[in-house]
């Protein structure tokens, strides 16, 4: 039985708006969690929110509400994003949970009993704006290094943790455990930091200054300051109690994933706290880099913050997950820009993986009645041997190597997977099944080629599952596989030849349609992507070509140029009909999407529409609406939509378009 695997993200500050950085860490953790579950590890994946502190207190006061209510209100911003990104966390901790508070207080009492906590007068330079102390060496010309406002000297009595006492032990631990701090460059930074004498750590704030926190168990005038509250989440989430087996099972953590800015906090503060508590240290703390956007630091004032919600709506969760982990080695800084993102979708996903799936299934439909043929061993060549060798080494050697906790080479893992994608496409080019099909005596060889193409896809679905779970499921469906990705993959499935001959395949929609346009569409003028029932990928491919062109420069007072006008013939290309809603139900896990069955006179269609925020499904039944009937079908959250309903509104749906008089379903609208 493989070891239990426990992976964490940092807990995110509830006062932040989720951005690409949060998404990045959490996606990386999700890939590891999914991968380890697939390979049989008993896995626990924890993420959560840091809810205490000055900024939350202030925001709540400003909003005139209790800080707890404030936290409860903003928590869904993160939770919903994780749902959209298909994050498979097992635990979601909030530092305002009663069980977390209890564990923090118990840990503090434990250290206090051992005389590892003491009270002392602290004098430092205080910035009123940031509400924090700075040391002598931080302050520049009497100004706060952060906000550049004048600081004042202030004395305050506080509690301290005897961190300095553990300096030598920590240095030794880092020396002896190569994988404890990763990557290597960051490890060296911490070693450098520990060359200087380590100070004791201030762990409290007087309630007069900060009340929104966890009270010290031995002094009710104080709350504990951020580190003790936040870092302890990694053990409190396991309910660190002797009688609870989760702690025994999962601690020490296999990996804490952190941004590079908080590596020292974790490597030094957290490790010494654990030493004080006499608990083992995590096996690996892995620090990843930061994202810039179009070459610039991301900031609210620059207005270049990448909103993961927008990326998912526009390009789909899997494409976003793929790009973030493929583009930049984990541990290094990366730059996010639209062009390379769309470039990757088109080259790697549409032309690479998507094309391999689509052509393989087309060939099986055309030349084998939609069933996977039996390979004929007598006709195999070196080409098949190469496919087999590449696929088996990918699954058995390369993925375990690159996804080892001390490496986390996500980009290399994906490179290896796409090596097999490329080989699969080359295989079809070289063997040219459409030529073999013309020669009846080549039927055994044709069967072999079709089988090996499909088997390549089976191996790919297993390999990409951790990175792109929805795509893996889609490939599985279309290929008719019986794999269950949520359970450990059986040993035998890792071998070449797991695909059963005679399996019925079903060709579906392209998994990654090409994206034609590349201009920015994050502006306010853009309709929200799942508005009126076109899918993100569909929008990008088909309807977006006009929307995504740079907007014609419109000078005030000018009539729009002739470019903006269409002829009656162009308008008539769009077929509109009256449709009567027969049934309506919410799409699970979506706020906006509603699945409709619509009567169009001679036919009934299923339409997925983004009108769920405005309308309750039960109020839609019986309504007659306007349906675009010649739109290419698209998939939204895995559900096929065979058309679109019209509604008024831009970002938000204001009203469905309907009729003044009763009209029969199927009536043409013009
Ligand atoms: Zn300041």
């Amino acid at each position: 039985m493989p070891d239990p695997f426990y992976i964490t993200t940092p807990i995110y500050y509830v006062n932040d708006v989720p951005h690409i950085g949060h998404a990045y860490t959490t996606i990386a953790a999700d890939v590891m969690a999914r991968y380890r579950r697939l390979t049989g590890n008993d896995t626990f994946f924890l993420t959560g929110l840091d809810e205490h502190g000055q900024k939350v207190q202030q925001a709540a006061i400003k909003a005139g509400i209790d800080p707890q209510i404030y936290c409860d209100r903003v928590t869904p911003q993160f939770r919903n994003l994780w749902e959209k990104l298909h994050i498979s966390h097992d635990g979601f901790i909030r530092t305002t949970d009663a069980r977390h508070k209890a564990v923090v207080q118990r840990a503090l009492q434990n250290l206090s009993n051992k005389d590892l906590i003491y009270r002392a007068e602290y004098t430092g330079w205080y910035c009123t704006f940031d509400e924090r102390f700075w040391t002598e060496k931080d302050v520049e010309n009497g100004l706060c290094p952060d906000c550049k406002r004048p600081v004042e000297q202030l004395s305050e009595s506080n509690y301290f943790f005897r961190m300095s006492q553990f300096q030598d032990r920590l240095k030794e631990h880092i020396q002896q455990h190569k994988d404890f701090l990763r990557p290597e460059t960051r490890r060296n930074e911490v070693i450098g930091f520990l060359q200087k004498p380590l100070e004791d750590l201030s762990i409290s704030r007087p309630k007069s200054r900060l009340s929104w926190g966890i009270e010290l168990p031995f002094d009710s005038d104080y709350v504990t300051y951020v580190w003790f509250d936040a870092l302890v989440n990694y053990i409190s989430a396991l309910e660190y109690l002797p009688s609870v087996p989760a702690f025994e099972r999962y601690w020490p953590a296999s990996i804490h994933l952190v941004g590079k800015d908080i590596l020292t906090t974790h490597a030094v503060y957290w490790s010494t706290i654990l030493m004080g508590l006499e608990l083992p240290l995590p096996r690996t703390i892995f620090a990843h880099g930061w994202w810039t956007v179009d070459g610039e630091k991301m900031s609210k004032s620059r207005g270049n913050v990448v909103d993961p919600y927008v990326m998912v709506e526009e390009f789909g969760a899997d494409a976003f997950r793929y790009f973030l982990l493929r583009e930049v080695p984990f541990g290094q800084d990366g730059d996010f820009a639209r062009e390379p993102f769309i470039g990757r979708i088109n080259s790697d996903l549409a032309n690479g993986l998507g094309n391999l799936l689509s052509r393989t299934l087309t060939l099986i439909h055309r030349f084998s009645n939609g069933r996977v043929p039996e390979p004929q061993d007598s006709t195999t060549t070196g080409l098949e041997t190469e496919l087999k060798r590449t696929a088996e080494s990918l699954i058995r050697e390369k993925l375990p190597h690159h996804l080892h906790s001390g490496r986390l080479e996500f980009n290399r893992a994906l490179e290896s997977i796409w090596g097999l994608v490329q080989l699969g496409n080359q295989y079809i080019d070289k063997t040219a099944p459409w030529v073999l099909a013309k020669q009846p005596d080549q039927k055994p060889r044709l069967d072999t080629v079709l089988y090996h193409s499909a088997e390549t896809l089976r191996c790919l679905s297993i390999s990409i599952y951790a990175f792109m779970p929805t795509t893996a499921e889609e490939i599985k469906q279309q290929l008719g596989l019986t794999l269950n990705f949520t359970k450990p993959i059986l040993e035998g499935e890792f071998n070449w030849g797991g695909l059963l001959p005679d399996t019925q395949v079903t060709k579906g929609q392209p998994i990654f349609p090409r994206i034609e346009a590349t201009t920015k569409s994050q502006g306010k003028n853009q309709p929200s992507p799942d508005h009126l029932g076109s899918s993100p990928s569909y929008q990008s491919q088909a309807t977006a070509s006009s929307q995504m062109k740079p907007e014609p420069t419109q000078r005030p007072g000018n009539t729009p140029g002739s470019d903006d006008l269409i002829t009656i013939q162009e308008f008539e290309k769009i077929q509109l009909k009256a449709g009567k809603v027969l049934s309506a139900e919410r799409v699970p896990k979506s706020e906006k999407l509603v699945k409709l069955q619509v009567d169009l006179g001679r036919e009934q269609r299923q339409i997925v529409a983004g009108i769920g925020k405005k309308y309750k499904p039960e109020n839609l039944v019986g309504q007659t609406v306007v349906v675009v009937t010649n739109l290419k079908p698209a998939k939204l959250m895995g559900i096929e939509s065979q058309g679109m309903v019209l509604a008024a509104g831009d970002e938000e749906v204001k009203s469905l378009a309907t009729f003044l008089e009763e009209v029969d379903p199927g009536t043409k609208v013009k």
Side-chain angles (χ1 to χ4, degrees):
M1 185 72 188
D3 290 340
F5 181 76
Y6 176 31
I7 186 163
T8 67
T9 72
I11 46 174
Y12 304 119
Y13 197 38
V14 74
N15 212 34
D16 283 346
V17 175
H19 56 66
I20 187 172
H22 300 113
Y24 187 47
T25 323
T26 313
I27 289 169
D30 186 62
V31 169
M32 286 307 293
R34 285 178 185 273
Y35 180 68
R36 291 306 196 99
R37 288 189 202 110
L38 200 68
T39 54
N41 296 82
D42 170 11
T43 297
F44 193 83
F45 167 18
L46 178 70
T47 187
L49 294 174
D50 180 5
E51 300 191 351
H52 289 125
Q54 202 73 46
K55 285 186 179 154
V56 173
Q57 185 175 310
Q58 282 167 346
I61 290 171
K62 210 172 149 192
I65 52 174
D66 182 78
Q68 185 64 63
I69 293 171
Y70 174 83
C71 292
D72 293 346
R73 279 187 194 169
V74 291
T75 300
Q77 287 197 68
F78 285 89
R79 275 193 188 274
N80 293 346
L81 179 61
W82 301 153
E83 213 166 273
K84 282 189 185 291
L85 284 169
H86 303 133
I87 302 302
S88 64
H89 50 278
D90 302 289
F92 188 93
I93 187 159
R94 300 176 56 184
T95 54
T96 51
D97 286 350
R99 63 172 186 182
H100 172 73
K101 292 184 199 170
V103 173
V104 168
Q105 289 185 327
R106 202 151 41 81
L108 287 164
Q109 190 63 56
N110 178 326
L111 296 176
S112 176
N113 294 349
K114 291 177 187 159
D115 194 31
L116 288 171
I117 288 177
Y118 63 94
R119 185 175 171 153
E121 196 74 14
Y122 178 80
T123 303
W125 294 96
Y126 187 70
C127 170
T128 319
F129 180 77
D130 290 317
E131 310 229 11
R132 63 160 289 179
F133 279 99
W134 295 100
T135 61
E136 188 71 46
K137 62 178 187 299
D138 294 325
V139 173
E140 296 158 13
N141 306 320
L143 299 177
C144 165
D146 221 18
C147 70
K148 313 292 178 202
R149 291 177 170 82
V151 290
E152 54 179 330
Q153 198 158 41
L154 206 78
S155 282
E156 193 173 271
S157 182
N158 263 312
Y159 288 88
F160 289 81
F161 167 57
R162 295 189 197 279
M163 188 161 74
S164 57
Q165 202 169 298
F166 299 97
Q167 178 160 16
D168 291 338
R169 254 183 79 189
L170 180 59
K171 278 160 88 170
E172 203 176 307
H173 185 88
I174 295 172
Q175 288 303 342
Q176 286 172 356
H177 298 83
K178 270 281 175 200
D179 281 345
F180 177 52
L181 303 176
R182 303 295 301 158
E184 195 65 23
T185 48
R186 303 271 166 240
R187 177 175 187 261
N188 293 335
E189 284 174 18
V190 176
I191 292 172
F193 177 84
L194 287 171
Q195 296 309 313
K196 291 171 289 181
L198 199 55
E199 290 173 11
D200 287 344
L201 181 67
S202 164
I203 60 157
S204 70
R205 290 293 178 269
K207 276 192 184 165
S208 55
R209 200 144 74 66
L210 172 68
S211 60
W212 184 235
I214 301 174
E215 192 178 287
L216 296 187
F218 38 80
D219 191 336
S220 61
D221 288 337
Y222 287 84
V223 296
T224 187
Y225 188 54
V226 50
W227 311 123
F228 244 92
D229 186 343
L231 293 167
V232 171
N233 94 84
Y234 299 130
I235 55 176
S236 69
L238 302 176
E239 293 193 271
Y240 155 54
L241 299 162
S243 57
V244 174
F247 185 78
E248 297 288 310
R249 199 153 116 205
Y250 295 115
W251 194 261
S254 313
I255 311 177
H256 289 321
L257 283 188
V258 299
K260 62 180 182 181
D261 53 323
I262 52 172
L263 176 64
T264 306
T265 309
H266 281 73
V268 180
Y269 300 179
W270 180 225
S271 299
T272 54
I273 290 170
L274 286 167
M275 285 174 176
L277 293 170
E278 296 172 74
L279 292 174
L281 304 196
R283 296 188 201 287
T284 296
I285 305 175
F286 205 112
H288 64 71
W290 283 354
W291 285 89
T292 52
V293 176
D294 295 322
E296 289 190 78
K297 193 166 176 272
M298 195 166 44
S299 74
K300 275 187 201 162
S301 56
R302 284 197 181 92
N304 65 348
V305 175
V306 175
D307 181 349
Y309 276 103
V310 174
M311 292 297 120
V312 174
E313 293 276 341
E314 193 173 357
F315 299 106
D318 276 7
F320 189 51
R321 290 168 66 110
Y322 174 78
F323 179 75
L324 291 186
L325 295 180
R326 174 66 183 82
E327 192 67 4
V328 178
F330 203 65
Q332 292 178 26
D333 291 343
D335 185 53
F336 186 89
R338 250 180 113 74
E339 296 265 341
F341 182 19
I342 291 173
R344 286 245 178 243
I345 291 177
N346 285 341
S347 67
D348 301 3
L349 304 184
N351 293 355
L353 183 62
N355 190 32
L356 180 61
L357 177 68
S358 143
R359 63 201 301 215
T360 300
L361 295 183
T362 301
L363 290 166
I364 292 175
H365 271 287
R366 196 174 297 163
F367 302 131
S368 188
N369 296 320
R371 291 185 176 274
V372 176
E374 176 123 33
Q376 304 299 318
D377 288 348
S378 58
T379 68
T380 54
T381 67
L383 293 174
E384 286 77 34
T385 316
E386 192 187 2
L387 271 182
K388 173 180 190 286
R389 212 191 46 226
T390 307
E392 287 188 347
S393 112
L394 171 66
I395 294 177
R396 291 192 176 277
E397 291 153 33
K398 291 190 174 155
L399 293 180
H401 176 84
H402 295 312
L403 298 180
H404 179 273
S405 300
R407 289 192 197 91
L408 302 190
E409 297 165 336
F410 298 111
N411 64 320
R412 308 257 334 255
L414 287 168
E415 263 170 39
S416 300
I417 297 171
W418 257 257
L420 182 60
V421 171
Q422 199 186 4
L423 198 64
N425 273 317
Q426 287 168 353
Y427 175 71
I428 295 176
D429 295 340
K430 283 183 192 163
T431 52
W434 48 91
V435 176
L436 297 173
K438 287 180 187 154
Q439 303 155 281
D441 62 323
Q442 290 294 324
K443 179 73 168 76
R445 176 67 185 144
L446 176 65
D447 286 352
T448 299
V449 168
L450 296 183
Y451 179 86
H452 283 82
S453 305
E455 175 62 4
T456 304
L457 283 160
R458 188 191 67 92
C459 294
L460 283 168
S461 74
I462 295 174
S463 308
I464 63 166
Y465 166 73
F467 295 91
M468 307 168 85
T470 315
T471 308
E473 280 292 338
E474 186 63 39
I475 294 175
K476 182 187 118 175
Q477 299 289 340
Q478 296 197 16
L479 265 184
L481 302 174
T482 52
L483 294 171
N484 183 352
F485 293 121
T486 60
K487 294 216 169 111
I489 290 287
L490 299 173
E491 172 64 19
E493 304 278 11
F494 288 164
N495 290 335
W496 186 261
L499 180 60
L500 294 175
D502 208 35
T503 301
Q504 173 81 52
V505 304
T506 320
K507 193 165 191 281
Q509 290 296 308
I511 46 175
F512 293 103
R514 278 187 64 84
I515 295 174
E516 304 298 344
T518 57
T519 41
K520 291 207 181 218
S521 76
Q522 259 188 284
K524 281 221 160 71
N525 298 328
Q526 201 65 23
S528 86
D530 70 348
H531 189 50
L532 307 184
S534 65
S535 78
S537 50
Y538 180 74
Q539 171 104 6
S540 310
Q541 184 201 27
T543 60
S545 51
S546 57
Q547 288 165 0
M548 293 175 93
K549 267 182 205 158
E551 295 202 29
T553 21
Q554 294 215 6
R555 287 169 223 95
N558 275 9
T559 48
S562 59
D563 282 352
D564 299 318
L565 302 176
I566 60 169
T567 63
I568 188 77
Q569 286 80 12
E570 283 172 298
F571 174 72
E572 279 177 351
K573 284 184 188 166
I574 302 169
Q575 288 171 14
L576 301 169
K577 283 184 184 171
K580 189 162 189 165
V581 179
L582 300 172
S583 71
E585 58 179 283
R586 285 196 185 277
V587 171
K589 296 185 179 174
S590 171
E591 273 191 325
K592 281 191 196 167
L593 298 181
V594 178
K595 185 169 85 176
L596 307 171
Q597 300 299 335
V598 181
D599 178 6
L600 287 167
R602 284 192 210 158
E603 57 169 322
Q604 185 183 321
R605 290 217 195 161
Q606 173 172 297
I607 296 174
V608 181
I611 53 177
K613 276 195 179 165
K614 175 72 185 173
Y615 295 103
K616 286 188 179 147
E618 57 268 34
N619 296 342
L620 293 166
V621 176
Q623 296 289 343
T624 303
V625 295
V626 183
V627 179
V628 183
T629 56
N630 62 338
L631 201 58
K632 271 194 203 167
K635 276 207 172 166
L636 285 95
M637 296 187 71
I639 301 171
E640 184 166 86
S641 181
Q642 303 154 330
M644 180 166 126
V645 295
L646 297 190
D650 185 6
E651 300 270 357
E652 267 174 50
V653 174
K654 306 270 189 220
S655 171
L656 268 177
T658 178
F659 299 91
L660 286 173
E661 324 289 342
E662 216 23 71
V663 285
D664 288 330
T667 308
K668 183 176 176 176
V669 178
K670 52 178 199 168

